[in-house]
Amino acid sequence: MNFDKSKALKPKSHDLIPGGAHTYAKGDDQFPELAPGFIERGKGCHVWDLDGNEFIEYGMGLRSVTLGHAYERVVDAAYLAMRNGINFTRPSSLEVECAETLLNLIEGAEMVKFAKNGSDATTAAVKLARAYTGRDLIVICEDHPFYSVDDWFIGVTDMSAGIPQAIRDLTLKFHYNDLESLNLLFEKYPNQIAGVFMEVERLEAPKDNFLQKVKELCHKNGALLIFDEIITGFRWHLGGAQKYHDIVPDLSTFGKALGNGFSISALVGRREIMELGGLRHNKERVFLLSTTFGAETHALAAAMATMKIYQSEPVIEHLYRQGERLIKGIEQSVQEHRLDGYFGTIGKACNLLFYTRDQNKEPSQPMRTLFLQEIIKHGIIAPSLVVSYSHTDEDVERTLNAFNEALFIYRKALDEGVDKYLIGSPVKPAVRKYN
Ligand SMILES: Cc1ncc(COP(=O)(O)O)c(C=O)c1O
């Protein structure tokens, strides 16, 4: 396997694009030196890089491609829509059809506005919550890593350059499964908190009716509960992680899996709140998601085709099943190579991650980089273990064999030093203060 063409293109990509890519999570600092630099095409869960190397991919377009790359029924639906024009001076009837399809799936969601990115939807939710409550502060759950590219969230990360302190001061943080940390904020800022923003579940399951208690606390204090389902939507359950945990928020946001990789996201919620962005009220109007490209027909058609497949085929069951097989197979390799506590899977089977720790069992980026380097040698790209409907039993088997080989080297690196095995620099967190 060589990466000559990829290597040759890299300097140019960095000359032309800050960071060499349009998404930080795809950047060179996220992968080992011996990795494909550019992907040429994909089919199902397989991708081919610029040098013609083939890989089984995990992660799948930052978790957006749930069915598989170039999934024919979705591509055909989008193509058919495109042939009839993608953007007119009045809305397409597809906007209504797609709204109905989505709202039928999400309990308690009475209205929807579509957009292009998850961040558009989450930022719109923040604005709507502020307008509805007449308050400025937003509370986010700090154990969940990402909500938006916009200032209200990026301002409170390590990469807050360019964002005024005044904006950063409006976002507060609490901890998952720690109701008291939220209660303290409501006490400290009475009648000032517009909404509480959180994922329904990430690595840790809600304990002791936590979600229901958060909802009660929000409503007792006049704040809205907003669930970010950009990752969990259509993975945890057809009705979202909210359905999985049997709780209805005031607002929620969907993206990623909604269109199998096509650019479409959604803000959904209670009519009384959502209608502030509409024409049927006499209150002050809220500028709620209105962009030139907001409802392109092909993205709506792709989303409808994708949702139909989720409804008629066991897509979500498949994600759980293949995730479970990965968990089991990896555990066997971990035992075989005496790596208990050094390497392992975390998260839900439908949205699996792995951890890499050093000889002191501390989280280790060099060990992560080494692992990525070794699986790439065996034809696997897996910054996470997020599967799609296209990951077959055979793909998973091939992956487990590759992991077993990589974990053999991982053990040796723990015993002999990672520098002996790792080529190039370790990866770094995508959101950090300095290079
Ligand atoms: C939980 C969550 N919310 C929101 C977003 C933002 O979505 P987008 O990148 O489509 O703007 C992301 C992106 O990774 C996310 O993971």
Side-chain angles (χ1 to χ4, degrees):
M1 191 181 288
N2 78 67
F3 304 113
D4 294 348
K5 286 187 183 164
S6 269
K7 260 190 212 152
L9 188 59
K10 266 187 196 177
K12 187 172 178 183
S13 77
H14 285 270
D15 286 346
L16 301 180
I17 307 163
H22 291 284
T23 310
Y24 285 124
K26 297 183 184 180
D28 285 341
D29 55 355
Q30 301 303 299
F31 291 89
E33 186 168 315
L34 297 183
F38 300 89
I39 303 296
E40 191 85 322
R41 68 189 171 91
K43 185 73 194 163
C45 67
H46 293 242
V47 295
W48 288 262
D49 74 359
L50 205 54
D51 291 275
N53 303 307
E54 182 186 351
F55 298 92
I56 298 171
E57 196 204 350
Y58 291 80
M60 305 295 293
L62 313 180
R63 297 181 173 86
S64 65
V65 184
T66 341
L67 298 174
H69 296 298
Y71 205 80
E72 261 168 44
R73 274 174 285 166
V74 179
V75 173
D76 287 351
Y79 179 63
L80 267 175
M82 271 193 268
R83 287 183 59 105
N84 286 326
I86 59 174
N87 209 340
F88 315 109
T89 45
R90 300 236 50 204
S92 148
S93 59
L94 284 177
E95 295 190 24
V96 183
E97 216 182 312
C98 193
E100 193 167 37
T101 309
L102 176 61
L103 293 175
N104 280 338
L105 295 177
I106 312 300
E107 201 179 305
E110 295 170 313
M111 296 185 94
V112 55
K113 265 214 122 166
F114 291 117
K116 282 298 183 195
N117 295 290
S119 301
D120 306 341
T122 53
T123 298
V126 166
K127 190 195 312 179
L128 194 53
R130 285 174 167 159
Y132 181 77
T133 59
R135 302 170 175 185
D136 287 344
L137 297 179
I138 287 292
V139 179
I140 61 173
C141 177
E142 86 167 293
D143 303 301
H144 301 160
F146 204 87
Y147 296 101
S148 178
V149 297
D150 293 314
D151 291 358
W152 66 271
F153 171 68
I154 295 297
V156 292
T157 69
D158 287 340
M159 223 165 151
S160 59
I163 301 170
Q165 187 63 44
I167 290 177
R168 290 146 66 177
D169 289 344
L170 298 177
T171 301
L172 312 170
K173 295 177 175 179
F174 79 109
H175 281 294
Y176 197 75
N177 274 336
D178 181 354
L179 199 67
E180 193 46 27
S181 66
L182 182 60
N183 199 22
L184 284 175
L185 292 176
F186 278 120
E187 280 174 12
K188 191 167 173 199
Y189 301 97
N191 304 319
Q192 294 172 66
I193 295 172
V196 171
F197 221 105
M198 63 191 296
E199 290 192 74
V200 183
E201 180 179 14
R202 191 172 175 259
L203 303 178
E204 205 185 325
K207 287 185 197 130
D208 189 24
N209 268 334
F210 177 66
L211 298 169
Q212 282 73 12
K213 288 179 181 166
V214 168
K215 184 173 168 180
E216 268 171 42
L217 197 54
C218 286
H219 288 179
K220 193 176 107 192
N221 288 282
L224 300 186
L225 175 61
I226 308 161
F227 282 154
D228 181 335
E229 291 245 31
I230 306 267
I231 287 178
T232 52
F234 305 110
R235 268 192 188 275
W236 261 237
H237 188 281
L238 190 56
Q242 52 192 271
K243 179 72 189 167
Y244 184 93
H245 285 295
D246 195 21
I247 177 162
V248 176
D250 297 301
L251 298 172
S252 47
T253 57
F254 291 81
K256 297 207 189 262
L258 180 53
N260 193 45
F262 277 86
S263 175
I264 180 161
S265 63
L267 168 65
V268 307
R270 276 168 41 206
R271 181 180 309 285
E272 182 200 356
I273 308 167
M274 295 288 290
E275 189 60 63
L276 287 182
L279 299 174
R280 292 176 170 178
H281 68 89
N282 49 17
K283 301 197 178 98
E284 192 174 347
R285 303 186 70 209
V286 178
F287 194 94
L288 188 64
L289 287 169
S290 170
T291 60
T292 304
F293 303 118
E296 288 174 319
T297 58
H298 60 284
L300 296 171
M304 280 192 294
T306 304
M307 285 188 278
K308 257 181 215 144
I309 296 169
Y310 291 151
Q311 281 174 295
S312 58
E313 296 186 31
V315 177
I316 296 171
E317 290 88 331
H318 185 89
L319 304 182
Y320 277 101
R321 182 174 158 269
Q322 297 303 44
E324 292 293 352
R325 294 185 65 228
L326 286 167
I327 293 171
K328 247 191 219 143
I330 290 169
E331 181 54 26
Q332 274 173 15
S333 290
V334 163
Q335 294 309 325
E336 183 182 331
H337 300 293
R338 295 173 293 111
L339 287 170
D340 215 3
Y342 297 101
F343 183 93
T345 56
I346 37 172
K348 259 197 153 33
C350 61
N351 186 49
L352 209 56
L353 302 170
F354 58 83
Y355 64 82
T356 51
R357 300 204 181 121
D358 64 14
Q359 55 277 26
N360 302 317
K361 295 198 172 169
E362 293 297 327
S364 167
Q365 297 285 38
M367 292 306 291
R368 174 178 170 83
T369 318
L370 174 72
F371 180 74
L372 293 175
Q373 169 189 295
E374 294 304 309
I375 56 174
I376 285 169
K377 281 185 192 162
H378 295 282
I380 311 290
I381 310 178
S384 68
L385 288 168
V386 171
V387 290
S388 75
Y389 194 39
S390 293
H391 284 80
T392 64
D393 288 355
E394 196 191 327
D395 294 317
V396 170
E397 210 50 51
R398 227 177 96 188
T399 304
L400 289 173
N401 289 335
F403 275 38
N404 196 46
E405 300 286 336
L407 291 176
F408 172 71
I409 302 293
Y410 196 103
R411 177 74 255 173
K412 283 165 81 90
L414 283 181
D415 294 340
E416 301 165 26
V418 64
D419 294 347
K420 189 168 165 195
Y421 293 94
L422 176 62
I423 296 164
S425 309
V427 298
K428 297 172 181 170
V431 180
R432 62 185 188 276
K433 205 165 191 68
Y434 297 106
N435 278 323

